[in-house]
Amino acid sequence: MDILVILGHPDKGSFNHAIAETVVAQLGKNGHEVIFHDLFAENFDPILLSKEIPKNAELTPLIEKHCQEISNAEGIIVIHPNWWGQPPAILKGWIDRVIRPGVAYEFLEGDSGEGIPNGLLKAETAIVFNTSNTSKERETDLFKDPLETIWKNCIFDLCGVNKFYRKIYRIVVTSTPQERALWLEDVGKTVDKYFPYKI
């Protein structure tokens, strides 16, 4: 399977980078083709200009490449920290520029854009790995876990990806090397579960 892996974290020494390395390595062991983007390392431009908004807009070669990759992906994995209940700005910009009409979703004939979109992505499964310094109780009870809503309901459900799994590792700021090692084991097991060895 072709699996698209997107990382959004500026610090190469971060636990997010360790998650991404584990994901890519496990996918490779399982015989999958991996397309990996470290958005910060690649200096991805997150700014969506007005001329790029229309469905038939002329896109830059880089955005065309990203759009083609997500269209062809049979699985998607996204890795990022929880910043203010949102993805980092660079990743939000990737969503704005790549998860676009005609690529990830469309409106049915006769619909002027006010109805329910029809998902176009062929990926059957999407995984999101998050890191957080907020307790589960506070995130759920006080903030209502906005990242779950963003990724599951607003993005992947809308774009036709039927199987979704999200895992949060917390509290990162006080975690020990032993805890992180166990978390990375869990990352590998999760990848195995959703993208097992390709026979």
Side-chain angles (χ1 to χ4, degrees):
M1 295 176 70
D2 290 338
I3 312 298
L4 178 63
V5 180
I6 303 294
L7 168 64
H9 197 293
D11 184 354
K12 288 185 180 294
S14 70
F15 187 62
N16 281 257
H17 277 74
I19 292 173
E21 289 170 9
T22 302
V23 165
V24 170
Q26 193 62 51
L27 288 170
K29 287 178 188 175
N30 290 355
H32 300 291
E33 296 295 324
V34 180
I35 302 162
F36 173 62
H37 289 290
D38 178 342
L39 298 180
F40 281 97
E42 296 173 14
N43 291 313
F44 182 86
D45 182 358
I47 304 299
L48 174 67
L49 300 176
S50 61
K51 65 181 181 180
E52 200 176 283
I53 294 174
K55 179 180 177 180
N56 59 352
E58 184 175 340
L59 305 176
T60 67
L62 178 63
I63 297 304
E64 286 277 13
K65 179 173 181 282
H66 277 268
C67 289
Q68 195 65 47
E69 288 170 349
I70 199 165
S71 291
N72 293 335
E74 297 168 275
I76 302 167
I77 300 178
V78 181
I79 303 131
H80 72 87
N82 177 350
W83 284 358
W84 298 100
Q86 303 170 74
I90 199 168
L91 181 53
K92 177 57 170 67
W94 179 85
I95 294 166
D96 290 345
R97 299 188 73 190
V98 177
I99 309 292
R100 55 180 290 111
V103 173
Y105 66 93
E106 65 182 353
F107 289 97
L108 301 179
E109 186 176 347
D111 189 322
S112 301
E114 78 283 1
I116 298 174
N118 177 48
L120 296 178
L121 294 182
K122 74 176 185 180
E124 293 184 2
T125 302
I127 299 173
V128 174
F129 290 111
N130 292 138
T131 55
S132 178
N133 291 326
T134 304
S135 70
K136 181 178 180 180
E137 294 73 23
R138 185 172 173 80
E139 190 70 55
T140 303
D141 298 342
L142 184 60
F143 303 128
K144 310 305 179 189
D145 198 1
L147 282 173
E148 181 77 10
T149 298
I150 290 169
W151 284 113
K152 183 181 186 304
N153 302 335
C154 298
I155 296 176
F156 288 123
D157 276 0
L158 183 147
C159 295
V161 182
N162 296 319
K163 189 182 295 182
F164 174 78
Y165 178 77
R166 178 168 160 260
K167 184 62 182 276
I168 311 163
Y169 299 102
R170 55 162 69 98
I171 303 254
V172 173
V173 70
T174 57
S175 61
T176 65
Q178 293 79 11
E179 284 175 312
R180 293 185 176 207
L182 289 173
W183 289 345
L184 291 178
E185 283 184 26
D186 183 68
V187 169
K189 289 176 182 176
T190 300
V191 171
D192 267 343
K193 178 179 178 180
Y194 288 93
F195 301 109
Y197 184 78
K198 190 173 82 172
I199 299 173

